[in-house]
Amino acid sequence: MTTTLGRDTELTWLGHSTFQIRTPGGKTLLVDPWLSGNPACPQSFKDQPPKADALLLTHAHGDHISDAVEIGRQTGTKIVSIFEIYLWLANKKGVPGAIGMNKGGTIEVVDGVKATMVHALHSCGIQDGDQVIYGGEACGWVIRMENGFTVYHAGDTMIFSDMQLIAELWQPDLALLPIGDFYTMDPRQAARAARMLGVKHVIPMHWGTFEALPGKPEHLRQHLQGTGIEVLELQPGGSVR
């Protein structure tokens, strides 16, 4: 199913927090690539991972970066992350296209598309074999398309008051917010976050993958009643354009 927002950006949810974003200029971004081991990801995307011009990582947990190493080694595509994850990708895993930056910074991730790394409240250890390696901090991404359409991918986070600054500085049109609870904020917090962000549309993510994630889109919708904010509920493999 494809829903239309009247813009030229297409987002496809691949389950959990993984999104494929096709920009108005014909570029493809992949955020938090967890495909092969993701029980919610459609089999067609596991069999043939989408070709991407760049990957954006929010943090280093396996349910967000598990396929980044293989994709990076096979394709050499640009993979942008916080600096400590970059060091692990480049020095420990031999990923040639890894780029490290930090919060507050902006990168032209592909021609005409800019991504700003913003704050998130979550842990960020890298499980590498039987070791847990320091992975810096978790982050979110504000992604501005060639035509100005702006998407905020919150990553894994609880609500935090500086989301108001994200609204003030970058005016996102669409927010991708976790709602699953237990590991991230729940639908009540996500509803408050959506109001702080000033967006008109929200796509819920990080829900339904495991039994430990009880938050549901209908719960988010209930908490947003009367606000004018639309909840765009996607099923894995579904798109909004």
Side-chain angles (χ1 to χ4, degrees), residues 7-12 17-25 27-33 53-58 80 101 105-119 139-155 166-167 169-176 197 199 203 205:
R7 303 279 184 152
D8 295 323
T9 300
E10 182 180 79
L11 293 92
T12 301
S17 298
T18 305
F19 282 86
Q20 174 186 269
I21 303 175
R22 297 190 188 277
T23 78
K27 303 296 184 180
T28 300
L29 307 178
L30 196 59
V31 185
D32 282 358
D53 296 288
L55 276 60
L56 297 173
L57 309 181
T58 65
V80 188
M101 55 183 295
T106 298
I107 183 173
E108 188 170 16
V109 66
V110 293
D111 291 344
V113 178
K114 294 184 177 181
T116 301
M117 183 182 286
V118 295
H119 192 46
C139 72
W141 288 101
V142 176
I143 309 165
R144 187 175 294 274
M145 309 302 163
E146 297 96 335
N147 63 354
F149 185 73
T150 302
V151 176
Y152 168 50
H153 189 301
I166 293 174
L169 291 170
W170 292 286
Q171 299 91 44
D173 299 286
L174 171 67
L176 316 179
L197 290 163
V199 294
I203 297 178
M205 63 178 183

Side-chain angles (χ1 to χ4, degrees), residues 97-235:
I99 297 173
M101 55 183 295
N102 223 305
K103 296 178 185 179
T106 298
I107 183 173
E108 188 170 16
V109 66
V110 293
D111 291 344
V113 178
K114 294 184 177 181
T116 301
M117 183 182 286
V118 295
H119 192 46
L121 284 174
H122 195 64
S123 58
C124 191
I126 305 169
Q127 186 170 350
D128 192 347
D130 59 357
Q131 292 184 310
V132 176
I133 301 170
Y134 177 62
E137 293 187 354
C139 72
W141 288 101
V142 176
I143 309 165
R144 187 175 294 274
M145 309 302 163
E146 297 96 335
N147 63 354
F149 185 73
T150 302
V151 176
Y152 168 50
H153 189 301
D156 279 10
T157 190
M158 68 167 290
I159 190 172
F160 55 95
S161 60
D162 284 353
M163 288 179 176
Q164 296 173 94
L165 292 177
I166 293 174
E168 179 182 339
L169 291 170
W170 292 286
Q171 299 91 44
D173 299 286
L174 171 67
L176 316 179
L177 300 179
I179 65 165
D181 201 356
F182 196 72
Y183 294 109
T184 70
M185 58 186 173
D186 59 13
R188 178 170 173 260
Q189 294 174 66
R192 182 69 183 92
R195 295 197 296 273
M196 285 198 295
L197 290 163
V199 294
K200 295 183 179 180
H201 304 279
V202 174
I203 297 178
M205 63 178 183
H206 207 279
W207 64 273
T209 319
F210 312 109
E211 289 185 6
L213 306 178
K216 299 289 188 295
E218 57 263 32
H219 304 153
L220 176 61
R221 195 173 286 112
Q222 290 168 6
H223 287 293
L224 285 173
Q225 282 185 353
T227 66
I229 300 172
E230 183 181 5
V231 177
L232 303 174
E233 180 180 347
L234 298 180
Q235 297 303 313

